[in-house]
Every structure is written in structure tokens, then in C-alpha cells.
Amino acid sequence: MVIEKLKLSNSAGKLLRTDQQPVDWRVSDALVPYPQALDFMKSKVSEIAQYQASEMVWLVEHPPLYTAGTSAKDADLLSPDRFPVYAAGRGGQYTYHGPGQRVAYVMLDLRQRGRDVRAFVQGLENWIIATLGAYNIKGEKRDDRIGVWVQRPDRGLSSEDKIAALGVRVSRWVSFHGISLNISPDLTHYEGIVPCGISDHGVTSFEDLGHLVSMHEIDITLAQTFADQFGPVQSTK
């Protein structure tokens, strides 16, 4: 199946490949151990950098775990024995992964997409915001903190929670790591860390906001909104 790109946003044009080669789109149904995901990404990124493999987006769920980015601070790991902790090698600080959260590992050749890391990150943010918008959830960016945020007027005029995290790395102009979007995870699992080093805001999910959707529905929407920013995809195993 090839999903064609939708109407482009203003910032998306430079992220498209001129040859419109589809991105491999892979979905894993079983929980994927984090070390296995890291090993796969490193291998795939090396192959893409050598023009030996197609670009790929890999959708997974992980068992409960914490990951530490390159800017992680020891003090932000509040419960070091609660879940396994892995050094991720991506940018950012501590985050949580677990069942009910859709993680999308994005392995794109930025040599074919403008060689602009800032535009790439903005494309990831726009991808998330468009996905949320498909379910009438207004996601927003913040200049002073990474991720996508949802205002919570039910909890005060200035209250807002994080619904999606971003953490990327670029090696030889090929991206890896990516985004995580909270669908229906156990939000109490975030209590073992200071998520992304931000202690004065909370975290939320589709379920927490009253939107009950399946992971399969989210995956379909993610494919459609990804095409808007980055071009067509094709399903692969």
C-alpha cells in the first residue's frame, strides 16, 4: 500500500524527496525490547547512509522503561529501580516508554530532504500536531521546551500537559530515534522521572483527555499525516 502525500503545509516542501521515493512503513504488534530497537536503528541508519537501504519509519510499543538522553541529569531520575533505564544516545533528557504509547522511530536521509535539521524537527512537530488535530485535539509548540503540549483549562487557565515527546539524533545526515505519542499509557509511570527535565507541567494522553481510540486507528492517521510532511509511505514487514 502506498499512501500519497496530502496537501502540504508551508514548511513541508523542503522535507520532500525530489524523487518521491516512498518511505518504508513498518509496524510491530508485539512489545519490542529497547536494546533490540537500538541495535536495529543503528544497523538501518548505517545502511541508509551507504545507500544500501530505503528510509523507514518503524512504529513500536516498548515494555515499561526509562531512557536517558544526552542531556539527562541524575537528579531527574527519581526512582532508579522502578523500571530499566537505558542510555538512548538521542538528544534530550529522561523520558518514559511503555504500553499504550506509540513510539515512531524515524530513519530518514536528510541529504535527500534539504540537509536542515531544524526543518526536520519542525516537520516532526507538525506531524504530531496534525495527528492530534484529526481527533479534535489542539496540540501546540512551545519555544522554551520541546514536545507537543495540550492546554488544560479544566485545571486552571495556565495549565498545560505534554502529550508527545521528541528526541532525535542525526548520523551522517540520517536521522534516528523520533517521537512518542501517548495514547493510553499508565501515566503514573512518569512519576519515576522528571520528564524531559520539566517539573512544572504534567503529562497527558488521548485517554486522559477523553478520546478513546485504538492504536490501529492512530497508526492509520500517523501514516496519512506523515505523508503530508515527508511524502508517501509503503507498508513493509
Side-chain angles (χ1 to χ4, degrees):
M1 174 182 65
V2 175
I3 300 175
E4 298 295 337
K5 64 184 178 65
L6 307 179
K7 183 179 179 182
L8 296 177
S9 63
N10 291 335
S11 62
K14 69 189 315 181
L15 296 172
L16 294 173
R17 293 179 63 110
T18 57
D19 60 8
Q20 286 293 280
Q21 180 178 329
V23 175
D24 288 346
W25 188 267
R26 177 181 176 184
V27 181
S28 292
D29 295 326
L31 297 180
V32 176
Y34 194 73
Q36 177 183 326
L38 282 181
D39 288 346
F40 178 88
M41 281 193 288
K42 290 175 183 177
S43 176
K44 179 64 71 173
V45 165
S46 177
E47 292 174 354
I48 294 171
Q50 298 175 65
Y51 300 101
Q52 295 175 349
S54 299
E55 299 173 303
M56 174 176 283
V57 173
W58 184 23
L59 304 186
V60 306
E61 288 178 88
H62 289 303
L65 58 92
Y66 298 129
T67 66
T70 54
S71 301
K73 300 175 182 177
D74 291 343
D76 288 343
L77 181 58
L78 306 178
S79 302
D81 299 323
R82 185 168 186 174
F83 298 124
V85 181
Y86 297 98
R90 55 161 174 76
Q93 303 187 44
Y94 280 105
T95 194
Y96 166 76
H97 295 314
Q101 180 192 74
R102 178 51 89 207
V103 176
Y105 291 125
V106 183
M107 292 159 274
L108 299 184
D109 187 349
L110 301 186
R111 295 169 297 186
Q112 310 295 326
R113 299 175 179 275
R115 295 178 182 259
D116 189 331
V117 175
R118 181 184 295 272
F120 170 63
V121 172
Q122 290 174 344
L124 294 178
E125 292 172 331
N126 292 338
W127 178 28
I128 296 168
I129 289 170
T131 301
L132 294 170
Y135 298 91
N136 295 316
I137 299 172
K138 185 179 180 182
E140 300 178 346
K141 307 175 190 179
R142 292 293 178 263
D143 292 337
D144 59 339
R145 42 194 150 90
I146 195 72
V148 175
W149 301 81
V150 177
Q151 293 189 17
R152 303 299 301 269
D154 55 315
R155 299 180 182 177
L157 293 178
S158 61
S159 180
E160 57 187 12
D161 291 339
K162 191 174 191 176
I163 194 168
L166 290 83
V168 299
R169 182 176 176 180
V170 175
S171 175
R172 292 182 286 177
W173 285 107
V174 180
S175 69
F176 59 122
H177 298 283
I179 69 168
S180 58
L181 180 61
N182 288 342
I183 313 305
S184 57
D186 185 339
L187 295 179
T188 66
H189 289 178
Y190 280 91
E191 295 171 359
I193 57 172
V194 178
C196 301
I198 300 170
S199 58
D200 52 350
H201 296 284
V203 290
T204 189
S205 66
F206 276 70
E207 183 179 66
D208 185 49
L209 294 171
H211 295 263
L212 303 181
V213 296
S214 70
M215 196 67 73
H216 178 66
E217 290 176 288
I218 292 295
D219 291 347
I220 292 173
T221 305
L222 282 169
Q224 294 170 337
T225 52
F226 179 90
D228 183 24
Q229 294 295 318
F230 299 100
V233 304
Q234 60 184 4
S235 298
T236 188
K237 293 183 178 180

